[in-house]
Amino acid sequence: MQPFRSPSMPPEDRTLSPYTGHTRAHWEATADALLAAVAPYATEDQALYHLPGDRPSWSGRLSDGLEGYARTLLLAAFRRDEKALERYADGLAAGVSGVWPHIEHRSQPLVEAASVALALRLTRPLLWDRLSDGVRQRAAAWLGEALTAEPWPCNWELFPVTVGGFLQEIGYEPDSAQEAVDRGLERIEQWYVGDGWYTDGDGRPFDYYNGWAMHLYPVLHAWLAGDARLLDLYGGRLSAHLADYARLFGADGAPLYQGRSLTYRFATTAPLWLGALTGRTPLPPGETRRLASGALRYFLDRGAVDDRGLLTLGWHGPDSAVLQGYSGPASPYWASKAFLGLLLPADHEVWTAPEEPGPAERADAVTPIAAPNWLLQSTRSDGVVRLHNHGSEDVRYDPHYTRLAYSTVTVPSPAYDNTVTVGGDPSRTSIEPLGVGEGWAASRHTAGEGVRVTSLVVARGAAEVRAHLVAGAAPGTPVRVTGWTPTEGLGAELLPAHNLSGDLTGVTAEGPTLFTALARLTADQDPVPLAEVVSVRVADTGEIRVSWTDGPEVRIRLGDGEVAVSDDGEVAVSAGQ
């Protein structure tokens, strides 16, 4: 894979940006190159962008063409490219004159209407105010369909909010517009779980939609509306979220490979810029830019843009494993959200401050995040971030939610990595969070009919101890434990510790049966042998004793849906039903 390099890309600046070499000029050059590359794929009237590819979304070619228009318009809006915006003005005039599909209940055009409305709101003097009265009337009427279109019950609730905010601003059906705003904001309250975290709808699906949707739209609406009350509310949540979010990036710039819509790639940087734009961030400006530029460069250097200058459907290069049914040729252009930072003026401190290291580069850390019931584990020596998932689930998109662990350097394996297989069944459903604490996280899940698995991970440095208590299985049921997928340049280890043979298999006994293993994922080339870093002993009472060579002994008791963890003789946490 050849790194993407625009002909106008300036030289690296390792003084201002010692970690990435990227400055505002690099972001501008990238935006310009992406906009230039899609221009030839516009229809003659500029209303649709039919990007090449043999994989249409389930919404069909017309909707996909609208998606190409809307998502690249958003990029032009953040870039404030007046020449490009002239083309999009022509396309808007044609689109709302009968080319674009109507916005119907739970239809993809509702999503794209939000991008169109946001772009128009951001560039009103450059685009909207220059349109004829007739075009404005038709555009407002087309967007107005979003005010009553029923969204899917997830982040889609925020698309009528975004449209309503713009229509209210221009005085189109202001009462209906305000109702749409109020209704959408009220609905997302049921999914706010505290500490800056939302679920993306009912259940416990936690992923990047927290940043590029659940925070982005309410905060931008409040900021653009000048609503201090809403900005304090949603901006405060964003700031709390960013304290955790910054830890989701590896030292190489990679975001964690977890969740759906991963083909949006560097859209993961949008909440970083949003915090700086609105003044709602705990991150220093140099750290914000370092994380954002690191993610942009990570993908540009690994084939995200093809030789035509187009974003591909995939992660590095083309990759169907990260796609969903709604993914069409233009879907990756929601990565346009990454260029939100260009709304900040060139003399803003986020562009002028020297880059500062991100969390994964500063120190080893094992960080519990209570809302999603995650444990984040990062190591400074190799910059790898690992996510131990004991609370996120969306069975529609397995394996990107249901595995026990994810990282910035591995991808879920079809062979079921980071899984407990009971009786040949590797499923992990009905995940119940049992708590997180200093260096540990635990959960219970269902694996097959009537089988319950209570799992706990204890981590320190790059090492892990994984314990699984299997209950409800018939005696003699085979159990297999898997860990990290071996990858070039990485050491992936899994060693049996209790009730597991050398091939990481065992069988259940009468009653609940405990299985433990040692695990490690590291990019260090010559690590201390894992068995010399940590050891595990299971007492006759069933107590698990974890001994670290450089830390205190940890004692663990697992029950069916219960966990207690202690060190130095004091119980730190006891969680369960």
Side-chain angles (χ1 to χ4, degrees), residues 241-452:
H241 184 66
L242 288 174
D244 294 331
Y245 193 79
R247 296 185 176 276
L248 303 183
F249 295 86
D252 60 358
L256 272 164
Y257 192 102
Q258 179 268 344
R260 64 189 176 100
S261 299
L262 293 177
T263 194
Y264 302 157
R265 295 182 174 100
F266 38 84
T268 53
T269 67
L272 300 169
W273 294 122
L274 183 63
L277 181 68
T278 59
R280 266 63 178 187
T281 180
L283 308 179
E287 183 179 339
T288 293
R289 191 176 81 255
R290 185 272 173 274
L291 292 172
S293 292
L296 177 67
R297 180 154 195 171
Y298 174 82
F299 289 109
L300 296 184
D301 287 352
R302 289 166 175 80
V305 177
D306 67 16
D307 56 7
R308 298 165 295 187
L310 300 174
L311 286 168
T312 59
L313 278 164
W315 181 247
H316 292 159
D319 183 359
S320 62
V322 302
L323 306 182
Q324 281 77 43
Y326 54 76
S327 303
S331 292
Y333 284 85
W334 238 17
S336 297
K337 294 180 177 184
F339 295 86
L340 179 70
L342 293 179
L343 295 180
L344 291 159
D347 61 357
H348 190 281
E349 59 181 353
V350 81
W351 292 117
T352 61
E355 285 183 342
E356 298 182 30
E361 297 164 297
R362 294 197 295 264
D364 289 3
V366 179
T367 308
I369 304 181
N373 212 66
W374 286 354
L375 188 69
L376 295 180
Q377 177 189 16
S378 63
T379 39
R380 180 185 179 190
S381 62
D382 57 9
V384 174
V385 178
R386 310 149 192 86
L387 161 62
H388 297 284
N389 171 35
H390 288 269
S392 183
E393 177 182 18
D394 187 337
V395 295
R396 295 173 301 168
Y397 298 106
D398 179 74
H400 293 95
Y401 284 92
T402 57
R403 300 292 165 83
L404 285 159
Y406 300 90
S407 83
T408 54
V409 293
T410 59
V411 302
S413 165
Y416 289 96
D417 63 312
N418 291 306
T419 299
V420 181
T421 299
V422 183
D425 187 343
S427 62
R428 187 182 184 216
T429 60
S430 302
I431 298 174
E432 304 172 48
L434 297 177
V436 293
E438 191 65 34
W440 68 273
S443 62
R444 181 171 70 168
H445 70 268
T446 299
E449 187 174 352
V451 177
R452 302 174 304 279

Side-chain angles (χ1 to χ4, degrees), residues 364-366 377-386 388 457-466 484 491-493 518-524 527-528 530 533-534 548 550:
D364 289 3
V366 179
Q377 177 189 16
S378 63
T379 39
R380 180 185 179 190
S381 62
D382 57 9
V384 174
V385 178
R386 310 149 192 86
H388 297 284
V457 62
V458 180
R460 187 176 180 88
E464 313 159 28
V465 175
R466 300 184 182 188
W484 298 104
E493 300 170 80
L518 312 181
R520 180 166 61 183
L521 175 70
T522 181
D524 291 345
V528 175
L530 180 56
V533 174
V534 60
W548 304 100
D550 63 347

